[in-house]
Amino acid sequence: MFVTTLKKALLALLCVIQTVAVGETLGPETESESSVMTQTRYVKEIDVTEIHLKNGMTVLIKPTDFEPDEVFVQLIAPGGYSTLDKGMRPSGILAAKIAVESGLGTYSANELTYILYRDTIDLNISIEKTHRLVDVNSQPESLESVLRILSLIFKENKLANTSNAGTT
């Protein structure tokens, strides 16, 4: 039951990510699952649902038992600080920390910190040498806040593909 609810919530987030990634505006109606996904398959042996999106993103959903009643979401994208010019690499390394410290969307840094504390959300955003990473741990009852924060990360575009940075 909970895994099904999580899958539906993640698909709703993926609709937002898909829309933001292609530069469309979000209208009052949301995209249907079929307009975002190209293929879905379930691998029973390892209990993984694999979803391929039209924008090329692949999403894997797997129940875990790290901690009882814990939700873990990890987003990984290619393009890290190694693609930047040598002089821009220190900025690339610090960019994720600066983005979070400056707040997200309408949330100031203090408001974001309060929401993370209030909802027991552990958020880690980093730009590594070859990829960008977002890790979130929370309780199931905080899933709505988690999805709102993930949506803001994509809408803010503060972690844009670093391979384009410094080449203008």
Side-chain angles (χ1 to χ4, degrees), residues 22-87:
V22 295
E24 298 172 358
T25 58
L26 294 172
E29 62 281 336
T30 59
E31 295 183 62
S32 68
E33 293 176 8
S34 62
S35 69
V36 175
M37 300 183 305
T38 60
Q39 181 183 3
T40 301
R41 81 178 175 124
Y42 177 70
V43 183
K44 185 177 181 177
E45 298 79 22
I46 56 175
D47 195 19
V48 169
T49 301
E50 180 179 23
I51 303 169
H52 295 274
L53 304 180
K54 287 184 179 178
N55 68 358
M57 184 183 291
T58 300
V59 178
L60 301 173
I61 301 173
K62 178 173 179 41
T64 63
D65 57 3
F66 300 143
E67 292 288 329
D69 297 325
E70 181 182 63
V71 176
F72 174 66
V73 179
Q74 184 176 64
L75 307 171
I76 302 172
Y81 64 80
S82 65
T83 60
L84 297 172
D85 293 333
K86 202 171 193 170

Side-chain angles (χ1 to χ4, degrees), residues 5 10-11 18 25 29 35 43 45-46 56 58 60 62 76 82 89 99 101 108 110 123 127 157 160 168:
T5 304
L10 286 174
L11 285 174
Q18 171 82 5
T25 58
E29 62 281 336
S35 69
V43 183
E45 298 79 22
I46 56 175
T58 300
L60 301 173
K62 178 173 179 41
I76 302 172
S82 65
R89 287 183 186 165
E101 290 296 322
S108 69
N110 287 339
L123 173 69
I127 299 176
N157 203 20
T168 57

Side-chain angles (χ1 to χ4, degrees), residues 11 68 81 91 112 142 144 162:
L11 285 174
Y81 64 80
S91 297
L112 180 61
S142 300
E144 185 177 334
T162 56

Side-chain angles (χ1 to χ4, degrees), residues 128-168:
E128 304 297 328
K129 190 171 189 173
T130 59
H131 61 279
R132 293 160 289 150
L133 178 73
V134 179
D135 279 339
V136 182
N137 287 303
S138 75
Q139 301 299 310
E141 54 273 5
S142 300
L143 188 58
E144 185 177 334
S145 291
V146 167
L147 295 176
R148 187 176 306 115
I149 290 168
L150 289 174
S151 176
L152 287 172
I153 290 169
F154 282 93
K155 287 179 184 177
E156 284 288 301
N157 203 20
K158 290 182 180 180
L159 301 176
N161 189 345
T162 56
S163 62
N164 295 331
T167 58
T168 57

